[in-house]
Amino acid sequence: GQQLNQSPQSMFIQEGEDVSMNCTSSSIFNTWLWYKQDPGEGPVLLIALYKAGELTSNGRLTAQFGITRKDSFLNISASIPSDVGIYFCAGQKETSGSRLTFGEGTQLTVNP
Amino acid sequence: NAGVTQTPKFRILKIGQSMTLQCAQDMNHNYMYWYRQDPGMGLKLIYYSVGAGITDKGEVPNGYNVSRSTTEDFPLRLELAAPSQTSVYFCASSSQIGSNQPQHFGDGTRLSIL
C-alpha cells in the first residue's frame, strides 16, 4: 500500500525552540494535511494544503506543499508546552474517494 | 457541537467474542471512515463509505464488517475477536468528495482482546 515516510520519529526540545518535521512519498498527492493528536483523543486538523508550492500558516505553525507534490513540511515556531503531542502528515488523492494515507507520526516533547 | 461520536470509549473482549463499535456524526457528511491505530503507528484505513448503502474496503479490512444504513451512522463489527485486533479505533467523516474537505475524527475506542 501507499506509504508516507515521516521524520523525525520523535523530538525532544526546550520551550521556545523552533521545530521542523517533514513527510515524503514515492507517489503524488493532491492534498497534504497535518494533524495533531493529544493523548486519549482523535487527530485534529492543523493545516490543509491544496496546491503544489503552497505555503500556509496557522498561528505559530507553517506548512508547505512541495513542488513535486511528493512531500510536505511542518514548522512550529517558539514552541510552548502545550505543543506536546503526536503530529501526523496525511496525503489525499482526488481518485481515492477522499481516503487519507497517514505517516507514522512525530512525537514531540517540549521541556519547560 | 457533537461532531463525530464514538462509543464505547474502552472495551475488553475475550478471543472469539463479537462486538460492534458505534460511530455517529451530526454534520450531514456523506463520507465516513474507520481507521485503526496501533502503538507508535499512524492510522490505517479499515473500511469507508461514500454514502448510505455504499461501503468499500480500505487497507486492512480482514476481520471486520461495516454497514451504512443511514447517513449519520457507520458501525464497525468484529465477528470473532483476535488478539491482533487490539488497537485504538477511530471513526472519521467528511463532506462531499473533493480534496478541500478534510476529515473530522472522533475520540476513539480503545479495544483490548485478551
Side-chain angles (χ1 to χ4, degrees):
Chain A
Q2 298 285 347
Q3 269 197 316
L4 292 184
N5 299 310
Q6 187 172 348
S7 64
Q9 287 186 330
S10 61
M11 301 182 74
F12 298 84
I13 62 171
Q14 293 297 124
E15 183 177 0
E17 289 183 357
D18 297 342
V19 173
S20 184
M21 58 193 80
N22 67 81
C23 253
T24 60
S25 172
S26 58
S27 59
I28 290 173
F29 289 95
N30 297 104
T31 299
W32 283 93
L33 305 166
W34 285 92
Y35 285 86
K36 183 191 178 197
Q37 186 178 26
D38 292 325
E41 299 184 10
V44 174
L45 183 66
L46 298 174
I47 291 180
L49 302 159
Y50 304 116
K51 186 178 177 181
E54 179 181 355
L55 185 70
T56 297
S57 293
N58 179 8
R60 293 178 296 106
L61 277 62
T62 301
Q64 185 158 29
F65 191 146
I67 290 292
T68 63
R69 293 195 285 160
K70 294 182 179 181
D71 63 326
S72 177
F73 72 75
L74 174 70
N75 286 342
I76 305 173
S77 62
S79 59
I80 58 178
S82 62
D83 289 336
V84 166
I86 304 176
Y87 292 79
F88 290 100
C89 63
Q92 186 177 39
K93 299 185 178 186
E94 290 287 351
T95 56
S96 67
S98 293
R99 286 174 289 169
L100 295 178
T101 299
F102 280 85
E104 295 188 346
T106 295
Q107 172 73 62
L108 179 63
T109 302
V110 180
N111 296 315
Chain B
N1 297 328
V4 178
T5 302
Q6 291 184 238
T7 56
K9 294 188 182 302
F10 305 93
R11 185 72 184 269
I12 298 175
L13 285 181
K14 294 182 179 180
I15 295 172
Q17 286 186 319
S18 61
M19 78 162 292
T20 300
L21 283 68
Q22 301 290 346
C23 176
Q25 53 89 12
D26 61 358
M27 297 173 281
N28 200 33
H29 284 171
N30 283 331
Y31 287 76
M32 296 188 74
Y33 315 82
W34 273 106
Y35 295 89
R36 61 177 285 172
Q37 184 180 30
D38 298 324
M41 304 291 286
L43 284 75
K44 294 186 177 180
L45 184 66
I46 305 172
Y47 270 96
Y48 70 104
S49 168
V50 302
I54 306 170
T55 62
D56 271 303
K57 295 179 180 179
E59 184 182 357
V60 288
N62 291 344
Y64 306 95
N65 280 301
V66 293
S67 59
R68 186 91 182 275
S69 56
T70 67
T71 298
E72 294 77 19
D73 301 297
F74 190 39
L76 177 72
R77 179 87 177 158
L78 281 72
E79 291 293 351
L80 288 171
S84 62
Q85 294 178 305
T86 293
S87 190
V88 182
Y89 291 84
F90 288 99
C91 178
S93 72
S94 62
S95 60
Q96 297 292 335
I97 190 171
S99 60
N100 61 343
Q101 304 297 335
Q103 295 180 18
H104 300 265
F105 286 81
D107 285 340
T109 294
R110 284 142 191 83
L111 182 63
S112 294
I113 315 297
L114 304 177

